[in-house]
Amino acid sequence: MTGLARFSLNQQTVRQWSLPELAAGCAAAGVRHVGLWRGPVREYGAAAAGRLVRAHGLSVSSLCRGGFLTSPEPVARAAALADNRAAVEEAAELGAAVLVLVPGGLPPGSRDLTGARERVVEAIDVLAPYAAGHGVRLAIEPLHPMYASDRSVVTTLRQALDLAERFPADRVGVVVDSYHLWWDDTVAGQLARAGEGGRIAALQLADWVTPLPEGALLGRGRLGDGCVDLRWFFEQTTAAGYRGPVEAEIFSTWLWARDGAEVLAETLERYLRYVLLAPQVAANPEIVHRVTET
């Protein structure tokens, strides 16, 4: 799987599209993969959503999200496990081989990061066999440290690998997301480590722009607008052995206010320019246009 054939459009990039619009728009643009989110999938029905994407010749690169597994309170913990089992079942209905796990933040009043991470491991120990039985691989996503308190106590690729490596690689991997990891000067070595262990389950790309236009959650930049070396992430994960889809996952209210087909066309062009092509080639608009058209 090379070139534009690896491109995947994450549903959040064109949140303004319904699921049928997403499937039809991607098929019309020649996109082969989509990353889906549970909210729209559940509204449409997981089985029906699976039939829809397959009818348009698409595969589901990932389903987001499971996780939020840090609560020590028994009722909340049981509810989280039940929700994650449901997420596994939805991923299986879609034919998604990867369920993204956002670990969860610190429980209210807690300052115990280590304890919270151990509860994530305990939950994965329960969920991984269930997911494997459905043909679904769990993938731990480390988030930027700004999210440590409320969304993810796992903030580096090293931490994610430390947790994932307690389980078989075919059951638990990691998500590499440029938006969350670009700042970490240890990420190159950790990508090599992840590759050696066969742990890279998904690659997601978005740029970092300053100041964040809509805060940490909705302030992701379009590919090429910020300071992230997107091509480096693509090349390093490929060198580490990852050959799967590459998702453009951009949370942006500005993008959501625009025409979805326009956003997709622009994202494809930027993926080609800033991810795939060498700098001297990407600087030539005629070459970029010619390659995009083909």
Side-chain angles (χ1 to χ4, degrees):
M1 196 185 297
T2 59
L4 288 173
R6 292 181 64 183
F7 178 85
S8 176
L9 182 68
N10 189 280
Q11 191 169 19
Q12 284 292 329
T13 305
V14 286
R15 189 175 179 176
Q16 64 271 44
W17 267 353
S18 67
L19 195 51
E21 288 172 332
L22 175 72
C26 285
V31 173
R32 302 181 187 181
H33 314 281
V34 290
L36 298 183
W37 279 68
R38 292 183 66 199
V41 166
R42 292 182 113 177
E43 289 178 11
Y44 195 82
R51 291 192 295 270
L52 175 71
V53 295
R54 288 189 290 272
H56 284 83
L58 302 170
S59 71
V60 180
S61 50
S62 71
L63 178 65
C64 196
R65 58 178 165 65
F68 285 79
L69 301 166
T70 57
S71 176
E73 199 277 318
V75 173
R77 193 156 184 79
L81 289 172
D83 183 62
N84 276 268
R85 291 189 187 96
V88 166
E89 293 162 8
E90 291 157 13
E93 292 267 26
L94 294 168
V98 174
L99 174 64
V100 175
L101 298 184
V102 175
L106 283 172
S110 174
R111 295 177 176 83
D112 183 8
L113 286 166
T114 300
R117 291 180 191 128
E118 284 303 312
R119 286 191 292 275
V120 173
V121 171
E122 292 167 5
I124 292 176
D125 191 43
V126 174
L127 294 170
Y130 188 77
H134 285 77
V136 174
R137 188 184 191 191
L138 304 178
I140 302 168
E141 181 171 16
L143 303 192
H144 191 281
M146 287 191 299
Y147 294 101
S149 66
D150 63 340
R151 290 181 180 272
S152 180
V153 294
V154 179
T155 61
T156 66
L157 188 55
R158 178 187 62 78
Q159 290 171 354
L161 287 168
D162 285 348
L163 303 188
E165 287 172 354
R166 302 196 198 185
F167 306 95
D170 61 346
R171 293 191 174 190
V172 182
V174 296
V175 179
V176 175
D177 187 325
S178 64
Y179 181 77
H180 294 300
L181 299 176
W182 70 272
W183 57 275
D184 185 355
D185 64 358
T186 70
V187 75
Q190 297 304 316
L191 284 174
R193 171 187 171 189
E196 290 171 2
R199 294 285 174 175
I200 303 176
L203 172 62
Q204 298 178 333
L205 299 179
D207 219 330
W208 184 280
V209 293
T210 306
L212 296 173
E214 296 281 350
L217 185 60
L218 303 180
R220 300 190 185 199
R222 296 177 300 172
L223 305 181
D225 272 359
C227 58
V228 180
D229 190 342
L230 301 167
R231 185 178 295 106
W232 183 89
F233 272 93
F234 177 82
E235 291 174 347
Q236 290 295 307
T237 52
T238 299
Y242 179 71
R243 299 292 187 272
V246 182
E247 291 185 17
E249 185 189 52
I250 307 167
F251 295 64
S252 168
T253 56
W254 179 64
L255 289 185
W256 298 340
R258 295 171 54 195
D259 176 74
E262 178 185 290
V263 171
L264 173 53
E266 178 184 84
T267 303
L268 281 169
E269 190 274 339
R270 284 171 170 266
Y271 174 78
L272 181 69
R273 182 187 296 273
Y274 296 108
V275 179
L276 295 188
L277 296 183
Q280 63 271 25
V281 177
N284 188 321
E286 292 184 4
I287 295 178
V288 173
H289 178 72
R290 186 164 65 248
V291 177
T292 303
E293 289 299 304
T294 57

